[in-house]
Amino acid sequence: QQQVKQSPQSLIVQKGGISIINCAYENTAFDYFPWYQQFPGKGPALLIAIRPDVSEKKEGRFTISFNKSAKQFSLHIMDSQPGDSATYFCAARDSWGKLQFGAGTQVVVTP
Amino acid sequence: GAGVSQSPRYKVAKRGQDVALRCDPISGHVSLFWYQQALGQGPEFLTYFQNEAQLDKSGLPSDRFFAERPEGSVSTLKIQRTQQEDSAVYLCASSRGDARLGYTEAFFGQGTRLTVV
């Protein structure tokens, strides 16, 4: 049973547009919420992460918004570029340190 | 090495065959995780080591799966009597600190793609 639900499954955005990916969780014991980027044939790479006591974190073109009461968080990719085309996974860390991943969102940025 | 190294990159096994997948974590990293990633899905936790101690193996799907890290560095994931449902990418990740004490970034290897025919 997936503990972190991610949507959409895929999205297509034009170059320069905004990509938005949403995740929801149930387990209030999760204490850290990273986003990973994965290219075909590669392992996931950490993109940006947030702790639940922070409502927003921005790093360059990537922003996480976190709503603790709703148990939801989202990734915004601003000014999307073709090089951003990849699969994005949200994740949540439990008290034992292991990550629970969402099912992934395949993002395609068209020129 | 500069990153987490996994070998082999690809493995084709006949059903019933035993396989061994190797992970070389980043030097000095205390924590090591194995994840299984089915096609089109997110990684799913298999097992966790802190140094040589296997502290959590709750994600191993059956007793055919076995992992070890005898000297606290290289780890091997062994699958006995492989079945078709074992076909997946097996990812190894390592992190510097004790994963139970707080988040330290987990660095993933490229994975081993196992295909059972």
Side-chain angles (χ1 to χ4, degrees):
Chain A
Q1 186 178 358
Q2 203 146 42
Q3 294 195 37
V4 179
K5 295 196 165 108
Q6 183 172 348
S7 63
Q9 191 174 14
S10 63
L11 68 90
I12 300 174
V13 62
Q14 283 193 328
K15 180 181 174 183
I18 302 173
S19 303
I20 302 174
I21 306 169
N22 300 299
C23 286
Y25 65 96
E26 287 299 324
N27 187 348
T28 56
F30 288 147
D31 62 2
Y32 201 81
F33 300 86
W35 285 87
Y36 282 82
Q37 181 187 56
Q38 187 176 30
F39 294 102
K42 303 291 186 183
L46 180 66
L47 190 62
I48 186 173
I50 197 166
R51 297 189 188 277
D53 55 348
V54 176
S55 61
E56 185 175 282
K57 183 173 181 181
K58 182 176 181 179
E59 289 184 359
R61 297 184 293 106
F62 300 91
T63 300
I64 300 177
S65 297
F66 190 86
N67 186 330
K68 188 174 181 178
S69 60
K71 291 184 284 187
Q72 295 175 347
F73 58 112
S74 61
L75 176 70
H76 291 62
I77 306 173
M78 314 300 285
D79 186 26
S80 296
Q81 300 296 311
D84 297 333
S85 296
T87 300
Y88 294 81
F89 294 95
C90 60
R93 176 190 178 275
D94 69 16
S95 56
W96 284 94
K98 60 180 181 274
L99 294 172
Q100 302 284 350
F101 284 85
T105 297
Q106 186 174 16
V107 173
V108 174
V109 181
T110 59
Chain B
V4 177
S5 178
Q6 292 187 245
S7 60
R9 286 293 315 279
Y10 305 93
K11 176 70 179 177
V12 178
K14 292 184 178 177
R15 192 167 54 145
Q17 187 178 358
D18 297 349
V19 298
L21 312 180
R22 178 187 169 104
C23 173
D24 277 273
I26 294 173
S27 178
H29 277 198
V30 167
S31 295
L32 185 146
F33 297 84
W34 282 97
Y35 289 85
Q36 180 190 58
Q37 186 174 22
L39 188 64
Q41 297 297 315
E44 293 204 2
F45 170 81
L46 292 176
T47 187
Y48 164 60
F49 289 86
Q50 184 191 350
N51 295 309
E52 69 279 2
Q54 188 175 21
L55 299 185
D56 187 345
K57 53 182 180 179
S58 61
L60 296 177
S62 77
D63 59 7
R64 296 186 294 104
F65 287 70
F66 172 76
E68 61 183 5
R69 194 186 184 196
E71 297 178 359
S73 178
V74 171
S75 178
T76 304
L77 176 67
K78 297 179 180 178
I79 308 173
Q80 296 178 325
R81 304 181 304 282
T82 52
Q83 303 296 316
Q84 282 194 314
E85 60 263 28
D86 300 335
S87 296
V89 174
Y90 291 85
L91 293 165
C92 175
S94 71
S95 62
R96 183 191 305 272
D98 181 344
R100 299 167 303 169
L101 298 181
Y103 186 79
T104 58
E105 181 180 351
F107 294 86
F108 282 82
Q110 291 187 319
T112 294
R113 181 178 295 278
L114 172 65
T115 303
V116 181
V117 297

